[in-house]
């Protein structure tokens, strides 16, 4: 998938929690949805212009992709700071992926205000509110928010709900968090799965879920990958949920784990 920034550079910086959002992630078009945008238009007025819409259908309706194939969707990764956000908005990427945490996370400066930053950063020149207002007002691009801390989830979903009630969120929204331990990750850095999923049901159920596994790629063990146990845990967590679900996976590890993902995708019509 197109990664607008230097994927390898980013990966080096954030090897340790190589979370699903790391650039190498390849959002297997596995299930549904992808969003995107193009220049500045007055807004999307069709039925498909809803936060719970299928991303691929949305992009098709905008004419940004010509057939239902997730591989034709282009992404802008880590559109977090004001500068990156502006670069992302003026790019022709169809979907913006950005990371959400809270200001001053786990320090005396913590405020609970959702900001756009990727760990280990805990400060940013862009709050989620500023980000959403700018992105929603100036583009039709799809939105994927990667939650890096459970603390950011509640206030962020409240904000999305307010903007949605105001009629401003007329495009697909994906909510991502790495909620399970994935390949090679020695530490529990995943976002609490039950709490994340419960917050989405409570505060903003009208989105597409993008639950992932934490991953760390280790070149010395290039054969390590996702296991059947990992995908079964995911199925237990999301199998009964009403939302569309799409799984972010680390591209380099997909082929070897394909039988497991194939099983997982086979569990649902969604
Ligand atoms: C809190 O923020 C101030 C600057 O606003 C900074 O000097 C200080 O180091 C921060 N405190 C912590 C615990 O990070
Ligand atoms: C997630 O949070 C729930 C509810 O607070 C708690 O019972 C559970 O132990 C937590 N799970 C993990 C893996 O920490
Ligand atoms: C990967 O390869 C290494 C070295 O050949 C081997 O020791 C290890 O068991 C393999 N791991 C898996 C998950 O197959």
């Amino acid at each position: 998938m197109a990664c607008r920034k230097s994927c390898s550079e980013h990966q080096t910086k954030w090897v340790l929690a190589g979370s699903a959002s790391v650039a190498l992630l390849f959002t297997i078009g596995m299930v549904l949805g992808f969003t995107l945008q193009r220049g500045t238009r007055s807004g999307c007025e069709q039925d498909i212009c809803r936060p719970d819409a299928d991303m691929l259908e949305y992009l098709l309706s905008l004419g940004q992709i010509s057939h239902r194939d997730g591989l034709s969707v282009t992404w802008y990764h880590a559109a977090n700071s004001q500068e990156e956000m502006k670069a992302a908005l003026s790019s022709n990427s169809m979907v913006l992926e950005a990371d959400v945490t809270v200001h001053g996370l786990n320090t005396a400066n913590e405020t609970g205000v959702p900001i756009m930053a990727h760990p280990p950063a805990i400060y940013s020149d862009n709050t989620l509110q500023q980000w959403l207002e700018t992105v929603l007002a100036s583009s039709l691009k799809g939105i994927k928010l990667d939650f890096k801390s459970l603390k950011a989830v509640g206030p962020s979903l409240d904000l999305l709900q307010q903007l949605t009630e105001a009629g401003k969120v007329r495009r697909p929204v994906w909510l991502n968090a790495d909620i399970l331990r994935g390949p090679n990750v020695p530490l529990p850095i995943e976002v609490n799965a039950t709490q994340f999923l419960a917050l989405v049901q409570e505060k903003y159920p009208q989105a597409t879920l993008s639950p992932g596994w934490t991953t760390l790629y280790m070149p010395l063990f290039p054969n390590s990958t996702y296991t059947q146990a990992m995908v079964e845990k995911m199925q237990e967590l999301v199998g009964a949920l009403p939302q569309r679900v799409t799984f972010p996976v680390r591209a380099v590890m997909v082929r070897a784990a394909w039988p497991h993902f194939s099983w997982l995708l086979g569990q649902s019509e969604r």
Side-chain angles (χ1 to χ4, degrees), residues 17 27 46 135 148 227:
T27 301
Q46 310 162 49
V135 169
K148 299 305 179 187
T227 64

Side-chain angles (χ1 to χ4, degrees), residues 14 49 60 69 75 79-80 92 94 98 196 198 210 214-215 234 253 266:
W14 180 236
C49 306
L60 275 169
D69 180 357
W75 297 77
N80 295 336
N92 54 15
M94 303 173 194
F196 173 72
S210 171
T214 57
T215 62
M234 186 62 87
M253 295 179 179

Side-chain angles (χ1 to χ4, degrees), residues 150 179 188 190-196:
L150 185 67
I179 59 174
E190 58 274 8
V191 169
N192 185 296
T194 50
Q195 295 188 53
F196 173 72

Side-chain angles (χ1 to χ4, degrees), residues 137-155:
S138 61
S139 81
L140 295 176
K141 295 180 191 296
I143 292 177
K144 178 182 175 210
L145 296 176
D146 291 2
F147 292 99
K148 299 305 179 187
S149 162
L150 185 67
K151 288 177 180 168
V153 178

Side-chain angles (χ1 to χ4, degrees), residues 2 22 32 34-35 37 62 80 106 109 111 133 138 178 199 204 210 238 266:
V22 171
L32 336 161
F34 283 108
T35 303
Q37 109 52 228
L62 292 183
N80 295 336
N106 298 331
N109 290 337
T111 60
E133 283 171 358
S138 61
D178 291 341
L199 281 168
Y204 200 69
S210 171
V238 306

Side-chain angles (χ1 to χ4, degrees), residues 218-265:
M218 299 201 301
L220 286 180
F221 297 96
N223 56 342
S224 75
T225 185
Y226 301 86
T227 64
Q228 179 70 21
M230 289 174 192
V231 302
E232 284 178 7
K233 264 194 199 169
M234 186 62 87
Q235 164 66 10
E236 282 167 26
L237 287 169
V238 306
L241 297 179
Q243 284 84 19
R244 296 176 195 280
V245 176
T246 178
F247 300 107
V249 294
R250 191 178 274 260
V252 71
M253 295 179 179
V254 171
R255 182 182 287 267
W258 181 248
H260 310 315
F261 287 119
S262 177
W263 176 87
L264 181 59
L265 295 179

